[in-house]
Amino acid sequence: MSTEGAMSRSRLLPSLLGILLLLMGLALLAGGIKLSTLGGSLYYLLAGIGLALTGVLLIMARRAALGLYALVLFASTVWALWEVGLDWWQLVPRLAMLFALGIVMLLPWFRRPLLTPDASPMGTRALGAAVVIAGITALASQFTNPGEIEGQLDRDSVPGMTNTAPAMPDGDWNSYGRSAHGDRYSPLAQITPENVSKLEPAWTYRTGDLPGPNDPGETTAENTPLKVNGMLYVCTPHSQVIALEPETGKEIWRFDPKLSTQKAENFKGWAHMTCRGVTYHDDAVYASAEQSPTGAASTTPASTVCPRRIFLPTADTRLIALNADTGKMCEDFGDKGQVDLTANIGGFTAGGYYSTSPPAVTQNLVVIGGHVTDNVSTDEPSGVIRAYDVHTGELVWNWDSGNPDDTTPIAEGQTYTRNSPNMWSMFSVDEKLGMLYLPMGNQTPDQFGGFRTPESEKYAAGLTALDIATGKVRWYFQFTHHDLWDMDVGGQPTLMDLKTADGVKPAVLASTKQGSIYVLDRSNGQPIVPIKEIPVPQGAVEGDYTSPTQPMSDLNFVPPVLQERDMWGVTPFDQMLCRIDFKSLRYEGMFTPPSLQGSIVYPGNFGVFDWGGISVDPVRQIAFVNPSYMAFKSKLVPAAEVAGGPGRKSETEGVQPNKGAPYGVILEALLSPMGLPCQAPAWGYVAAVDLTNNKTLWMHKNGTVRDSSPVPIPLSMGVPSLGGAFTTASGLAFLSGTLDQYLRAYDVKNGKQLWEGRLPAGAQTTPMTYTGKDGKQYVLVVAGGHGSLGTKQGDYVIAYKLPD
């Protein structure tokens, strides 16, 4: 082989690398020009020029390529440190690819063809130094934890503070939030921080309820079972109720309501199938003053048909009463065991109105709200709250926020106020104070409020306390004024006695999507933790307006305002595209108004806190929380253009029509072309708050991308969670709602993860704990996946316990 032929072949690798760098450089240059015209960083333009020239020099076999690339890598390292410091996940898209290519260029097969025997080694040395500096930067970032807070709780109790929730056996879980106070706190202490690592599966039960071809939308498993009356009560997405033996998971009875689809299969994407829970009522609990949560014995005769009953909300707008012992319908309730919730509601799109959350029960009443599908039209069903006699099913009162003063049962033939704000989440109840606590949504459509009435504005996006006996408003507090961002109060309010500088107060804690946890005196609605009105961005679209200020609690997990440098990606290219998207959208911080340009909503309507709420330890006086941080974007679409758009696919896909409003809206997460969040991780945390001083004790990123990335590697990046946690007297917290398929246990004193159990499907729900007849403490979770989040679906109920 001739010398010329050998040299030609040796230059092949540098030439191929040169072509690659040239193409990369041109791509960065094109995007960099676009970004710079939007007022963004000039880095991508300059880096594009540097990479393209390096590529040309490599193709020409010029040794100057090494020195020029060294300059690009060194400058990129300095720029990265200036923008984000030693934050490993932020450094990855900025330096990882360039670092790897630098190492490749130092390999003999790429370097030697560029050099002659008498060539200066300066370029090689410069590139080697640049690679070393970038490597040291990456190594140093391994010892930092941006966004995390390290801390340690130094107490096991606060003197004088006890669990004041309604009494029940320690081993039971007889309400959605364990008690009607929604505290999600269990006095059980058999499983401890010292032995929780030994937890193992005790049994697994499969319900058989899986997504079907005629479902009107996503199927989501969000159920927290009850353990009461010696049984476990599970409800499935298709509104089936199953009673299980707590120690073995053996099926005792099953009730299938035989759902009517209401022809909802013709309206796919307008609703989702879910059942967060059922509700239990036992006449014996109220039979004596000692047992009764009210402190007084009931004067209402016990039912001879169903003294213990389960109340089931169904996806086809019924409220059903079941005999808790047998699963048979209670014939004395309503129409042979059921109440028709379509009564007096008026017309609605199939699947557009039903109850997804368990009703509240009191001594004499069962009280229920309803889910109204967002952003369909300005003529949707009422958000009325209805209270029925717990035995007969007779309507006792109704509270319609569009007609709030008249709670007398509506007359036959009349219709509740159309489109009034609804309450789709979970009630909390204080029977001693005689109040129900309602976390309220807003009047649809979410992103345009020009047609809202004063009545709907008054009670929307806040907390309303109703008198149990009459349904009259006792007090209310609004958390978002003129809500244009879908900031429904999703979490069940948490009731507890709180130790303050002014003594012990009856408190209600309301977690919200915007990140504030509002702490109010539940007897009168006055703030216990200060709430400040803060100025917010202005400038709504024509026909609408914005509130000049919004209330923010001093106790909050509100994230910092996003900056261009917070945009993220796996590579420089998708990060650059996210930066272009960011600079193309309207964003002036939290509560940036919706716009025709498109606006960033951060925190997004996924929330910092959603329906999972929070858990409190009333003895230690702490709260365990799981904040999530996902930016969304909304773009208003003129009504004339809605018909020609892609159409609605679900509540977060396609054009939401908002029929009757001047604008439809496109809602979607702020994602890169690779489907990853545009904002940098972490996206999900666990944290604890010391409620005696409202300080965050500790905060750690939580969860991995194992089940949400193309390559199933369990990188601990911190992922969002949907669902709540519970805490125990032994000092543990359990959470399963992350996007990866795990149930995890944490030490509430320092946040250390002590155990995790791999699940066969997503578990976007709230786990619970109980004691069986065998004296063992169990931890139970429903793993059924979540259609809206795309987690793996299933039909599993799984219980864990310590080894015998």
Side-chain angles (χ1 to χ4, degrees):
M1 181 183 296
S2 68
T3 303
E4 184 177 345
M7 184 175 298
S8 175
R9 294 190 62 179
S10 69
R11 288 177 178 172
L12 177 62
L13 288 178
S15 297
L16 291 175
L17 181 58
I19 294 171
L20 175 62
L21 287 175
L22 175 60
L23 293 175
M24 290 172 56
L26 292 175
L28 288 179
L29 177 59
I33 292 172
K34 173 66 173 178
L35 182 58
S36 64
T37 63
L38 294 170
S41 173
L42 294 175
Y43 166 78
Y44 296 90
L45 187 156
L46 298 174
I49 294 173
L51 287 181
L53 289 177
T54 300
V56 171
L57 291 172
L58 282 173
I59 295 170
M60 297 172 63
R62 299 292 296 273
R63 62 180 179 269
L66 299 178
L68 179 56
Y69 191 83
L71 178 61
V72 171
L73 179 56
F74 178 74
S76 296
T77 303
V78 173
W79 168 75
L81 287 170
W82 173 73
E83 277 213 322
V84 299
L86 293 174
D87 184 336
W88 164 253
W89 287 114
Q90 283 271 45
L91 292 175
V92 166
R94 290 169 169 85
L95 295 180
M97 183 179 292
L98 296 178
F99 175 75
L101 288 171
I103 292 177
V104 169
M105 291 179 68
L106 287 172
L107 296 175
W109 304 279
F110 292 89
R111 174 172 51 85
R112 285 175 179 167
L114 307 178
L115 302 175
T116 59
D118 59 345
S120 171
M122 290 301 295
T124 304
R125 291 175 180 174
L127 180 55
V131 167
V132 169
I133 292 170
I136 291 174
T137 299
L139 181 62
S141 70
Q142 299 298 305
F143 300 95
T144 65
N145 294 293
E148 297 202 357
I149 298 172
E150 298 294 337
Q152 177 79 31
L153 182 69
D154 59 0
R155 62 174 184 262
D156 287 316
S157 64
V158 171
M161 302 309 298
T162 61
N163 182 13
T164 56
M168 72 179 82
D170 285 355
D172 278 4
W173 189 288
N174 70 6
S175 187
Y176 175 82
R178 187 174 183 268
S179 76
H181 282 193
D183 46 16
R184 281 167 281 280
Y185 169 79
S186 171
L188 297 180
Q190 187 178 108
I191 302 172
T192 69
E194 291 71 33
N195 63 26
V196 68
S197 62
K198 300 177 182 178
L199 272 186
E200 60 185 25
W203 54 261
T204 298
Y205 172 84
R206 302 196 66 173
T207 69
D209 189 342
L210 291 164
N214 292 325
D215 288 344
E218 292 101 346
T219 298
T220 63
E222 298 177 351
N223 176 235
T224 297
L226 307 183
K227 191 272 180 176
V228 65
N229 193 35
M231 303 183 206
L232 286 168
Y233 297 101
V234 177
C235 77
T236 73
H238 291 84
S239 307
Q240 297 180 30
V241 181
I242 306 166
L244 302 177
E245 189 175 87
E247 301 78 22
T248 65
K250 179 182 178 182
E251 184 176 312
I252 300 172
W253 57 255
R254 176 189 290 251
F255 172 79
D256 186 347
K258 306 295 183 184
L259 293 179
S260 164
T261 65
Q262 301 173 327
K263 297 184 179 179
E265 63 270 19
N266 297 326
F267 299 92
K268 284 187 178 292
W270 296 89
H272 56 269
M273 306 290 292
T274 194
C275 177
R276 292 190 184 92
V278 296
T279 308
Y280 177 78
H281 184 276
D282 188 346
D283 287 337
V285 170
Y286 297 94
S288 66
E290 289 76 17
Q291 287 183 293
S292 172
T294 66
S298 174
T299 59
T300 304
S303 170
T304 57
V305 178
C306 290
R308 292 167 295 280
R309 56 187 66 196
I310 294 291
F311 288 101
L312 166 70
T314 71
D316 58 357
T317 59
R318 290 178 284 165
L319 175 62
I320 297 176
L322 302 175
N323 187 312
D325 298 331
T326 66
K328 304 296 184 183
M329 292 176 70
C330 297
E331 297 283 334
D332 60 348
F333 182 80
D335 181 10
K336 296 183 179 180
Q338 62 185 10
V339 168
D340 181 7
L341 297 178
T342 65
N344 306 99
I345 285 293
F348 60 91
T349 302
Y353 177 83
Y354 58 101
S355 295
T356 57
S357 298
V361 292
T362 67
Q363 179 171 301
N364 300 316
L365 301 174
V366 54
V367 190
I368 193 165
H371 159 90
V372 178
T373 303
D374 291 338
N375 302 320
V376 176
S377 76
T378 58
D379 184 28
E380 293 300 307
S382 171
V384 63
I385 308 298
R386 289 175 279 188
Y388 299 93
D389 185 286
V390 77
H391 294 122
T392 68
E394 178 185 358
L395 183 63
V396 176
W397 56 255
N398 37 232
W399 182 72
D400 175 1
S401 59
N403 182 25
D405 298 327
D406 186 4
T407 62
T408 304
I410 195 169
E412 186 175 350
Q414 292 187 346
T415 303
Y416 295 113
T417 307
R418 299 288 287 176
N419 220 39
S420 58
N422 66 318
M423 196 226 78
W424 54 266
S425 185
M426 285 68 63
F427 301 84
S428 292
V429 184
D430 187 332
E431 291 197 71
K432 288 186 178 180
L433 288 178
M435 280 189 265
L436 288 161
Y437 302 91
L438 282 57
M440 294 294 295
N442 62 20
Q443 183 178 28
T444 188
D446 292 326
Q447 284 75 30
F448 181 80
F451 298 156
R452 293 179 187 166
T453 64
E455 291 80 12
S456 69
E457 289 282 77
K458 183 176 181 179
Y459 297 105
L463 195 62
T464 298
L466 300 182
D467 185 273
I468 289 175
T470 66
K472 298 286 187 180
V473 175
R474 296 274 287 270
W475 58 260
Y476 67 94
F477 199 106
Q478 189 170 76
F479 302 143
T480 305
H481 306 319
H482 194 63
D483 179 12
L484 300 176
W485 306 271
D486 190 21
M487 291 298 171
D488 298 348
V489 184
Q492 181 182 23
T494 297
L495 313 184
M496 66 179 295
D497 282 3
L498 193 62
K499 190 168 187 177
T500 74
D502 298 322
V504 177
K505 293 189 176 184
V508 53
L509 285 69
S511 57
T512 60
K513 291 182 179 180
Q514 64 265 38
S516 277
I517 300 176
Y518 298 92
V519 185
L520 309 175
D521 187 319
R522 68 178 184 266
S523 68
N524 56 29
Q526 294 301 305
I528 294 175
V529 174
I531 299 171
K532 299 181 179 69
E533 291 285 340
I534 60 169
V536 294
Q538 299 296 291
V541 293
E542 183 179 356
D544 207 347
Y545 66 93
T546 51
S547 171
T549 63
Q550 294 290 350
M552 181 182 290
S553 172
D554 279 1
L555 173 51
N556 72 75
F557 285 83
V558 175
V561 174
L562 286 176
Q563 306 289 335
E564 182 195 335
R565 64 174 177 265
D566 297 319
M567 295 301 100
W568 189 75
V570 175
T571 69
F573 306 101
D574 52 324
Q575 182 183 46
M576 177 182 66
L577 293 173
C578 280
R579 285 181 179 243
I580 292 172
D581 203 9
F582 177 83
K583 297 297 289 187
S584 300
L585 295 165
R586 182 180 177 189
Y587 180 66
E588 295 134 43
M590 190 163 64
F591 299 113
T592 298
S595 64
L596 293 167
Q597 171 187 349
S599 297
I600 292 178
V601 185
Y602 186 66
N605 56 348
F606 188 84
V608 175
F609 304 109
D610 204 347
W611 54 261
I614 64 175
S615 173
V616 298
D617 182 329
V619 180
R620 292 181 175 88
Q621 293 278 287
I622 62 171
F624 181 92
V625 301
N626 52 308
S628 296
Y629 299 99
M630 283 285 291
F632 279 66
K633 55 184 178 180
S634 66
K635 182 178 182 180
L636 297 179
V637 181
E641 300 177 17
V642 171
R648 178 183 172 121
K649 298 179 181 179
S650 72
E651 288 191 30
T652 55
E653 293 182 280
V655 178
Q656 315 297 306
N658 293 347
K659 185 178 179 180
Y663 307 98
V665 66
I666 299 174
L667 300 169
E668 53 191 350
L670 184 62
L671 301 177
S672 75
M674 298 182 69
L676 295 171
C678 268
Q679 89 224 44
W683 307 298
Y685 294 85
V686 287
V689 178
D690 185 340
L691 295 174
T692 66
N693 58 21
N694 306 316
K695 303 295 185 183
T696 301
L697 286 163
W698 50 261
M699 183 169 173
H700 300 157
K701 63 184 179 183
N702 183 54
T704 73
V705 295
R706 171 173 175 171
D707 298 303
S708 51
S709 64
V711 180
I713 301 174
L715 299 174
S716 299
M717 299 175 71
V719 296
S721 54
L722 187 62
F726 73 83
T727 53
T728 71
S730 67
L732 289 172
F734 288 84
L735 175 71
S736 67
T738 51
L739 295 185
D740 56 350
Q741 296 164 202
Y742 290 96
L743 171 65
R744 293 182 170 95
Y746 312 85
D747 188 327
V748 300
K749 288 189 174 183
N750 54 33
K752 181 180 178 181
Q753 182 181 308
L754 302 175
W755 172 85
E756 64 181 17
R758 180 69 174 160
L759 301 173
Q764 283 67 54
T765 184
T766 303
M768 50 83 74
T769 188
Y770 63 90
T771 300
K773 293 178 182 177
D774 55 4
K776 293 281 189 178
Q777 181 184 353
Y778 293 78
V779 175
L780 182 140
V781 65
V782 172
H786 199 282
S788 298
L789 297 179
T791 55
K792 184 179 179 181
Q793 297 194 291
D795 61 342
Y796 301 89
V797 183
I798 306 172
Y800 297 84
K801 68 174 183 176
L802 297 172
D804 293 331

